[in-house]
Amino acid sequence: MLVFLASEVMLFGGIFAAALALRLEHESAYGAAAHHLNLWLGTANTAVLLTSSLMAAIAVQAARDGKPAWAARALWAAVLLGCVFLAIKGAEYAGDLREGLMPGTAQAHFEGTTQHLFMNLYFIGTGLHAVHVTIGLGLLVVAALNRQARHDQHAVLIGNVALYWHLVDVVWVFLYPTLYLAGAR
Amino acid sequence: MTEPRFEHPPEEAAISYLADGHSLRSWFLTTDHKRIALLYLVSITFFFLIGASAAALIRLDLLTPQADLLTNEGYNRAFSIHGIVMVWFFLIPAIPNVLGNFLVPIMIGARDLAFPRLNLLSWYIYIFSGLLTLYVVVSGGVDTGWTFYTPLSSAYANGAVVATIVAVFISGFSTILTGINFIVTIHKLRAPGMTWGRLPLFIWSHYATSIIFVLATPVLAVTLLLVAAERLIGIGVFDPRLGGDPLLFQHLFWFYSHPAVYIMILPALGVISELITAAAHKRIFGYWFVAIASIAIAVIGFMVWGHHMFVSGQSVYASAVFSFLSIAVAVPSAIKVYNWTATLYKADIAIDAPLLFALSFIGLFVAGGLTGLMLAMLAIDVHVTDTYFVVAHFHYIMVGGSVTAFFGGLHFWWPKITGRLYNETLGRIAAVLILVGFNVTFFPQFLLGYEGMPRRYHVYPPEFQVLHVISSMGAALLAVGYALPAIYLIASLLPGGRRAPANPWGATGLEWTTSSPPPKDNFTEQPVVARQPYDYPLAHPASRDDG
């Protein structure tokens, strides 16, 4: 599983490399572009996702301690928080669309090529992340519904699902400063 | 080598994996790594034929300076499909997924790979993406070349670019799954006594390949995803009108595709190490150097991508560093060549078809490698960039290297895989034919390129015609060389084909201690390893002389 996660990290690596190169080349324009993002929604989402990841870790520990009921509760909590994350993200996308920041749409307008590219990277990066969140939610539901997995004191299935969920979390932890905090003033 | 009692297991010890079930279901839903290897063998042979047909069209069209066989568009599609099919659907899976799938578990004394069902899934993903590529061929093709350079691929190219990109994207999952499977298997499933220092060199090279599989393939995936996003929904990072930079594509693409070159050659290096030691009946010269060289190639290979972009306008300082690193990556490759020749030195050599393939590999690999060094030099590269010199160089490594090693390995392990012996005389003839045909095809292309013939053009000045005609003639010879093994290898499977003993070459290695073909679980008893690899001398068996 860890080997697969290394592969996933490389998947996002290209986007981060592009974003960092852009920031090095056009530092002030990059900051200005990042400033248009909603820092508060991004911060809220960071807190939501980190808590969700904590729930997944608790589920692993509960399964190892032989408390299947608690493992299931923690998993459902993680699922719920993941849904909240996607809801906030959706609201944020809707806001971006209203402000004309959504590339590829008719009302899109940008202050320059740097902002245009920044928003492209923002949508591809967070969009790809959202796809991973959705997959992770599916895995969490599978783990929560699986009776055998809850009673497995080695927590093989829950452990692997939690690892994947942590990856989703870690990717966000890097997306957040790269995209949101870069614009904080 | 294991305990001597495993050297000649009784014939009736266990049902062979080939006899264990004859229904379609027992093949298409098998989780046996050996059967999956055969599924791969049949499928990559099919894709090799498609890629080769495209190559035949290209060479026929190049017989004359005018465009008389293909239109411009048709020529672009022919070389694109040739590159895409050969790279992703033949060369990358060829050695790892056929020979590697069959041998990795047996060589380390395991019953199967760590994740047998994942292994089957990876074949289905491969087939699905392959069928998608076939759909592209019949639905109008793609004309971007296998490199999908932007802005051509994202803004201007006609044809089924997105379908092709999706096909390659999906095939990447198959590759990643195989890589994960190999890494976990080699870490977790080694037989008792099979320490890292006792691993066959074939395993070391597959380990190095798997690292690249897992770390490089996703970068290609995200790059292609970005191209598709730019083409479909206008969210792009490569088109300057969208604020992007086309050069970014080249950086990301070659960050994958240069390591991909090592995906194609590293398994071949592992095959050659086995072939050479078995033919020389000697311990490999400098085991650890050869083993670590594989890892070194994999690691340095990640840091040389910029040498594909010397003329792209990247910083000259970056170019200088990439030039230096590209020259450095030749060092571990050269170590291997020296160690193979040192292994052969003063050895009691059995000149069978596998050794002939191995020797032609060494010659062609050295020629391809040395021209690679020339291309790593900034000044020479500027002169020959995008000419036939480059085409000849990478065909020496990919075809002269990888394909020759694949054929050598196929001959070497054919008795183990099928339990039958092929016709040794025809095998030697095929090895020589391939060597001669290959050189006649591709050596003229070095000359063409140095004199200025650009790649990917099918209309050219008449002074190049002589060399092009020689090259096309060589391609015909090469086709005969490749067709010949298909005939006698299949003939060996017919009723009445000679049965292979457990160890026809008198080679060391766990795969030769089990019966030919191996039982479903590979071994009748759990092997225990007590000796170094390549612990020769082992007596030449009498059975080999009647070939």
Side-chain angles (χ1 to χ4, degrees):
Chain A
M1 193 65 193
L2 284 172
V3 183
F4 174 69
L5 295 187
S7 170
E8 286 272 24
V9 169
M10 294 298 285
L11 181 74
F12 283 96
I15 291 174
F16 282 118
L20 292 176
L22 182 68
R23 182 169 152 82
L24 280 175
E25 299 274 319
H26 309 282
E27 202 177 332
S28 60
Y30 185 94
H35 191 64
H36 284 283
L37 295 183
N38 193 321
L39 180 62
W40 293 111
L41 286 183
T43 309
N45 252 348
T46 309
V48 168
L49 204 56
L50 282 176
T51 317
S52 177
S53 209
L54 172 69
M55 290 301 148
I58 290 175
V60 176
Q61 196 54 47
R64 284 197 183 132
D65 292 346
K67 294 173 184 158
W70 277 105
R73 273 173 219 151
L75 284 173
W76 285 119
V79 171
L80 187 69
L81 288 166
C83 293
V84 170
F85 175 89
L86 283 182
I88 296 179
K89 197 74 226 160
E92 195 184 341
Y93 279 162
D96 294 333
L97 182 63
R98 274 196 304 279
E99 290 175 32
L101 291 174
M102 179 84 86
T105 53
Q107 66 268 49
H109 56 89
F110 300 103
E111 288 165 11
T113 52
T114 304
Q115 194 197 12
H116 195 161
L117 181 56
F118 176 85
M119 290 313 290
N120 284 337
L121 285 172
Y122 163 78
F123 277 105
I124 290 169
T126 55
L128 199 58
H129 180 255
V131 171
H132 280 76
V133 170
T134 315
I135 296 171
L137 283 176
L139 291 174
L140 284 170
V141 169
V142 169
L145 291 177
N146 191 325
R147 239 181 80 78
Q148 211 181 345
R150 290 201 298 273
H151 288 83
D152 175 12
Q153 299 219 349
H154 299 292
V156 176
L157 179 67
I158 296 184
N160 279 332
V161 170
L163 267 180
Y164 188 85
W165 195 239
H166 295 327
L167 166 92
V168 171
D169 196 29
V170 166
V171 170
W172 181 259
V173 165
F174 280 89
L175 281 173
Y176 175 63
T178 315
L179 297 174
Y180 291 88
L181 285 185
R185 287 179 190 160
Chain B
M1 273 311 299
T2 59
E3 316 288 310
R5 69 171 186 278
F6 284 115
E7 263 178 45
H8 300 289
E11 284 294 316
E12 66 284 353
I15 297 177
S16 93
Y17 79 101
L18 291 171
D20 185 55
H22 294 284
S23 61
L24 275 181
R25 186 190 155 86
S26 75
W27 279 95
F28 286 104
L29 291 179
T30 182
T31 54
D32 184 342
H33 67 100
K34 301 183 285 301
R35 287 194 164 200
I36 296 171
L38 288 188
L39 291 177
Y40 264 115
L41 178 60
V42 173
S43 11
I44 65 154
T45 308
F46 174 70
F47 283 106
F48 183 73
L49 284 176
I50 293 184
S53 316
L57 280 179
I58 296 170
R59 284 311 333 161
L60 277 175
D61 194 45
L62 287 171
L63 275 173
T64 57
Q66 308 84 27
D68 30 25
L69 179 65
L70 297 169
T71 59
N72 295 347
E73 187 75 15
Y75 184 80
N76 290 348
R77 286 176 176 167
F79 74 69
S80 299
I81 214 66
H82 168 69
I84 291 165
V85 167
M86 283 302 200
V87 168
W88 281 296
F89 298 98
F90 175 70
L91 280 169
I92 288 183
I95 296 180
N97 281 330
V98 178
L99 299 175
N101 229 335
F102 194 95
L103 292 164
V104 164
I106 306 187
M107 278 185 166
I108 63 173
R111 291 172 54 166
D112 205 323
L113 285 169
F115 307 115
R117 281 184 295 176
L118 212 56
N119 195 18
L120 183 66
L121 177 67
S122 115
W123 181 73
Y124 275 103
I125 296 175
Y126 166 80
I127 287 299
F128 179 74
S129 57
L131 291 177
L132 200 54
T133 311
L134 289 185
Y135 161 77
V136 169
V137 176
V138 295
S139 74
V142 61
D143 59 357
T144 60
W146 77 281
T147 46
F148 301 113
Y149 265 23
T150 53
L152 172 64
S153 63
S154 58
Y156 300 110
N158 304 313
V161 179
V162 172
T164 318
I165 283 176
V166 171
V168 173
F169 179 82
I170 295 174
S171 83
F173 285 104
S174 158
T175 313
I176 294 174
L177 293 182
T178 303
I180 293 174
N181 224 336
F182 281 176
I183 291 178
V184 176
T185 306
I186 295 169
H187 271 273
K188 291 287 185 191
L189 296 185
R190 301 193 308 279
M194 180 58 91
T195 57
W196 287 88
R198 288 176 184 166
L199 286 178
L201 292 164
F202 184 86
I203 300 292
W204 274 104
S205 66
H206 274 74
Y207 188 71
T209 310
S210 303
I211 294 175
I212 310 178
F213 271 166
V214 171
L215 295 185
T217 317
V219 179
L220 174 74
V222 77
T223 312
L224 294 178
L225 208 61
L226 291 171
V227 174
E230 183 162 322
R231 226 183 134 83
L232 286 178
I233 49 180
I235 298 185
V237 296
F238 303 128
D239 185 344
R241 279 174 308 172
L242 301 176
D245 184 351
L247 268 193
L248 180 64
F249 175 84
Q250 295 189 23
H251 278 292
L252 290 175
F253 180 79
W254 289 115
F255 184 85
Y256 160 78
S257 285
H258 197 79
V261 171
Y262 296 108
I263 289 178
M264 297 180 239
I265 197 66
L266 272 170
L269 301 173
V271 168
I272 299 302
S273 295
E274 302 295 324
L275 265 48
I276 293 281
T277 46
H281 271 262
K282 253 173 81 179
R283 192 179 291 236
I284 186 94
F285 183 87
Y287 171 86
W288 277 110
F289 277 93
V290 181
I292 298 303
S294 291
I295 307 292
I297 291 174
V299 173
I300 304 175
F302 271 106
M303 297 181 281
V304 300
W305 78 88
H307 69 217
H308 295 271
M309 304 169 57
F310 284 160
V311 296
S312 70
Q314 71 180 352
S315 124
V316 288
Y317 303 107
S319 288
V321 172
F322 281 127
S323 172
F324 171 77
L325 286 168
S326 308
I327 295 167
V329 82
V331 173
S333 316
I335 286 176
K336 284 178 183 265
V337 172
Y338 287 129
N339 285 9
W340 292 326
T341 38
T343 306
L344 288 171
Y345 179 64
K346 284 193 175 173
D348 175 17
I349 299 173
I351 302 191
D352 293 316
L355 180 82
L356 291 180
F357 278 111
L359 291 179
S360 34
F361 172 92
I362 294 179
L364 299 174
F365 182 65
V366 167
L370 288 179
T371 49
L373 279 180
M374 291 167 72
L375 289 169
M377 309 284 178
L378 288 168
I380 300 180
D381 185 72
V382 170
H383 177 60
V384 294
T385 285
D386 281 342
T387 67
Y388 266 73
F389 194 88
V390 178
V391 174
H393 156 69
F394 70 73
H395 278 90
Y396 262 76
I397 298 291
M398 303 286 83
V399 185
S402 293
V403 181
T404 306
F406 176 66
F407 271 91
L410 198 60
H411 283 75
F412 185 63
W413 283 292
W414 187 259
K416 182 56 61 186
I417 295 172
T418 62
R420 300 299 181 94
L421 292 170
Y422 60 88
N423 186 317
E424 184 60 42
T425 315
L426 285 176
R428 290 176 201 174
I429 293 173
V432 174
L433 260 182
I434 290 175
L435 177 67
V436 173
F438 178 84
N439 278 304
V440 176
T441 310
F442 290 102
F443 196 78
Q445 300 189 2
F446 278 128
L447 307 176
L448 279 170
Y450 203 78
E451 287 171 7
M453 170 77 203
R455 66 192 289 198
R456 296 180 173 178
Y457 282 69
H458 72 143
V459 178
Y460 54 85
E463 64 261 33
F464 292 136
Q465 188 175 11
V466 174
L467 288 169
H468 269 306
V469 170
I470 295 174
S471 180
S472 293
M473 295 296 145
L477 196 60
L478 192 57
V480 176
Y482 285 147
L484 193 56
I487 295 167
Y488 62 71
L489 287 180
I490 291 172
S492 76
L493 298 178
L494 299 176
R498 283 180 307 132
R499 304 212 165 262
N503 190 355
W505 311 107
T508 63
L510 284 181
E511 77 270 29
W512 303 110
T513 64
T514 187
S515 54
S516 301
K520 186 170 183 306
D521 288 334
N522 295 345
F523 301 95
T524 43
E525 290 172 62
Q526 171 67 54
V528 178
V529 184
R531 289 197 244 164
Q532 299 301 314
Y534 315 112
D535 196 14
Y536 291 104
L538 212 74
H540 285 226
S543 62
R544 221 200 51 242
D545 299 331
D546 57 7

